[in-house]
Amino acid sequence: MASLALGRVLREHAAPVHAIDFSKDGEVMLTAAEDDRVCLYDCQKGILKAASQCISLGIGLARFTHDPVSLLITARQAAVRQGNGLDSLNSAGEIRYLSLHDNRFLRAFRGHTDAVCSLEISPKEDIFASASSDRTARIWDLRSDDCQGELQLNGQPSQPALSFDPHGIVLVRHASLPLDVARGICLSDFLPTETCLVLHMS
């Protein structure tokens, strides 16, 4: 740490940043902030490469897909109860596929009923996983609006976490454990039939 030095200060946001990610090749970095703006930076030059404002949706999480100018973003705003008892379509559970080639949404992924708190793209395929405060994890395909699979996380934390392994064949999520075990994780083979292995975390 003693050898590290400040290289560049980026001041593109007018509010706190709450999401950072790097493209697969490490050449581009993205940031998303409470000003509902997402920015892409050239990591070699340390300059702004592209930006998009998403006021109507609000930006929660933001992740690169395999294309360094196409992103997955989650809605930051909470679902609003309307007078007719229905939730507003601008729900915190919504995920959008954003292209910065032409600054437009390519697709909306709807299914979660509460805030998405974990969002991970497969390192090998055009699929991604999401986990929400509604205590479900879902698998999606970038080429389809429809959820490809759902896993109930009953008894899980209100903000579950998940991640793919480097080969994209194992999905790791937090696991519900007996009272005599402090905490653990669940390794799920990404196959049609799920298998689970609970590991004790000492």
Side-chain angles (χ1 to χ4, degrees):
M1 294 292 290
S3 64
L4 296 179
L6 183 65
R8 185 70 59 93
V9 177
L10 305 171
R11 304 183 185 276
E12 301 298 333
H13 291 290
V17 172
H18 53 237
I20 300 174
D21 195 21
F22 285 91
S23 61
K24 190 174 182 179
D25 61 8
E27 294 294 319
V28 185
M29 179 182 75
L30 76 79
T31 58
E34 292 179 9
D35 57 6
D36 297 325
R37 193 167 187 239
V38 59
C39 296
L40 299 189
Y41 306 88
D42 183 313
C43 291
Q44 294 292 331
K45 299 177 181 178
I47 60 174
L48 183 69
K49 183 179 176 125
S52 181
Q53 193 81 36
C54 302
I55 296 176
S56 62
L57 183 70
I59 301 176
L61 301 177
R63 297 286 185 269
F64 278 108
T65 64
H66 297 297
D67 177 359
V69 290
S70 295
L71 317 175
L72 289 170
I73 64 172
T74 66
R76 179 170 59 86
Q77 299 176 4
V80 177
R81 297 298 292 182
Q82 300 175 340
N84 57 10
L86 300 177
D87 287 338
S88 164
L89 290 178
N90 188 16
S91 163
E94 188 169 304
I95 303 167
R96 295 275 186 100
Y97 187 11
L98 173 65
S99 169
L100 293 181
H101 285 292
D102 46 12
N103 201 31
R104 69 185 180 94
F105 290 117
L106 302 177
R107 184 162 283 118
F109 304 95
R110 298 186 178 101
H112 286 300
T113 58
D114 206 338
V116 175
C117 44
S118 188
L119 187 65
E120 294 294 331
I121 189 85
S122 166
K124 299 294 184 182
E125 307 287 343
D126 284 333
I127 59 173
F128 68 95
S130 59
S132 166
S133 294
D134 66 7
R135 290 181 167 83
T136 66
R138 292 174 180 262
I139 300 294
W140 311 85
D141 190 314
L142 290 173
R143 298 158 292 191
S144 171
D145 297 345
D146 300 325
C147 177
Q148 305 297 302
E150 179 182 346
L151 180 63
Q152 294 293 327
L153 304 178
N154 297 326
Q156 303 297 321
S158 60
Q159 294 188 325
L162 50 73
S163 182
F164 281 101
D165 80 313
H167 304 290
I169 58 174
V170 176
L171 183 64
V172 183
R173 66 174 174 85
H174 182 276
S176 180
L177 297 171
L179 293 176
D180 60 342
V181 180
R183 62 190 186 279
I185 58 174
C186 184
L187 303 181
S188 303
D189 291 336
F190 190 58
L191 298 170
T193 302
E194 184 195 32
T195 58
C196 257
L197 171 64
V198 176
L199 302 181
H200 186 108
M201 307 286 285
S202 59

